[in-house]
Amino acid sequence: MQLFGDIKRLTPVGVDAVILYFKGDTLDKANAACQRWLAMIDSAVQSSIDSPLWLKECVPSYDSLLLVFNIEDIDTHGVYAWLRALSTRQAENEGVANQNVSALPHSATKTIPVWYGAPSASDLSVVSKKTSLSIDEIIALHTGCTFTVYAVGFAPGFAYMGELPEVMACSRLSTPRKRVPKGAVAIADRQTAVYPSDSPGGWNLLGLTPLSMVNHRENESTALLKAGDTVKFTAISEEEFYAYHEG
């Protein structure tokens, strides 16, 4: 198969799935290409003319996109041909298939308040020793970045976000905790995340957010963050943290 656009590799995954890997000299650029393709495919799914009825699932990740299809309707070569036609049509219609985009059509920017140093979720002193940064510098760097949600997994609503400045890169705990509290804001390597529920975990904890990462309603649950969103963290006091729950 001859590759095209910003796809650098297309790999069959069993008989009913392919995974696309995207070009990019940085993770953010490869992830932007992934999100752009996800938007193109979502748009085609909504189309009454070109909807891929064979498509069962579409799962974005850091620099890749997994497509699961119905083998009774199509095979890997058919998926490749459909993707190539979609890319060509997009280029003809809008002239944007092979260019980088700064604003992704279905992304959103979210702000997450954090009580940094909350007693039940604070490894700030540990992070300080690992990075040689002061606690104030750690908080300033974490609140000063805009993060991209690369993928959602591990647990429902657990969003992997990056990237932290290299100076703040921090290895995981040598021994994971058996229980990390719901709402714990954490970092590992150059990523950050929020634990959506009480669970085991080995990331370094910076504090607690009062926000729920997953909202449960009668017949459905929705995650606060999805792949492609951008996220800012903002510092709040202990009083403001508890005011969220009282409000």
Side-chain angles (χ1 to χ4, degrees):
M1 296 179 186
Q2 185 177 359
L3 298 177
F4 51 89
D6 38 22
I7 297 175
K8 71 176 182 182
R9 193 164 78 248
L10 187 153
T11 303
V13 184
V15 297
D16 65 345
V18 298
I19 187 165
L20 313 178
Y21 293 93
F22 299 99
K23 299 175 184 174
D25 53 6
T26 65
L27 181 56
D28 278 342
K29 289 180 180 177
N31 184 260
C34 172
Q35 293 300 323
R36 184 165 57 255
W37 269 93
L38 179 62
M40 289 166 54
I41 293 170
D42 280 346
S43 178
V45 168
Q46 301 301 320
S47 168
S48 59
I49 300 174
D50 193 34
S51 181
L53 300 178
W54 42 264
L55 184 63
K56 297 171 65 177
E57 192 173 8
C58 199
V59 183
S61 188
Y62 293 80
D63 64 345
S64 64
L65 186 62
L66 175 71
L67 304 181
V68 182
F69 52 86
N70 188 337
I71 58 174
E72 294 182 356
D73 297 328
I74 201 167
D75 60 12
T76 298
H77 294 282
V79 173
Y80 167 83
W82 184 83
L83 291 169
R84 182 151 194 153
L86 179 64
S87 176
T88 301
R89 189 160 52 252
Q90 183 77 1
E92 290 173 349
N93 292 342
E94 302 178 24
V96 296
N98 297 326
Q99 69 183 31
N100 291 328
V101 291
S102 56
L104 298 171
H106 64 298
S107 64
T109 299
K110 308 285 178 56
T111 299
I112 296 179
V114 184
W115 172 20
Y116 288 95
S120 63
S122 178
D123 292 323
L124 284 172
S125 60
V126 175
V127 174
S128 179
K129 288 179 182 177
K130 288 181 176 179
T131 62
S132 299
L133 296 169
S134 70
I135 289 176
D136 286 344
E137 288 172 327
I138 293 166
I139 296 172
L141 285 169
H142 196 250
T143 56
C145 292
T146 299
F147 298 100
T148 299
V149 177
Y150 293 135
V152 178
F154 169 64
F158 189 99
Y160 293 85
M161 294 173 266
E163 287 186 303
L164 289 166
E166 195 160 352
V167 68
M168 200 175 168
C170 202
S171 60
R172 289 169 169 78
L173 304 181
S174 56
T175 302
R177 292 182 174 85
K178 294 181 179 179
R179 177 187 172 277
V180 174
K182 174 185 177 181
V185 177
I187 62 172
D189 302 321
R190 293 187 63 188
Q191 298 182 92
T192 189
V194 180
Y195 283 84
S197 59
D198 292 355
S199 70
W203 291 32
N204 305 275
L205 310 183
L206 302 185
L208 284 176
T209 180
L211 299 186
S212 293
M213 293 297 103
V214 180
N215 293 310
H216 301 286
R217 297 179 181 174
E218 284 188 7
N219 298 318
E220 66 174 354
S221 297
T222 57
L224 178 67
L225 303 176
K226 66 178 185 300
D229 286 348
T230 54
V231 175
K232 292 276 294 183
F233 292 93
T234 185
I236 60 172
S237 65
E238 177 180 359
E239 291 73 21
E240 290 171 317
F241 174 85
Y242 286 112
Y244 267 85
H245 294 292
E246 295 168 357

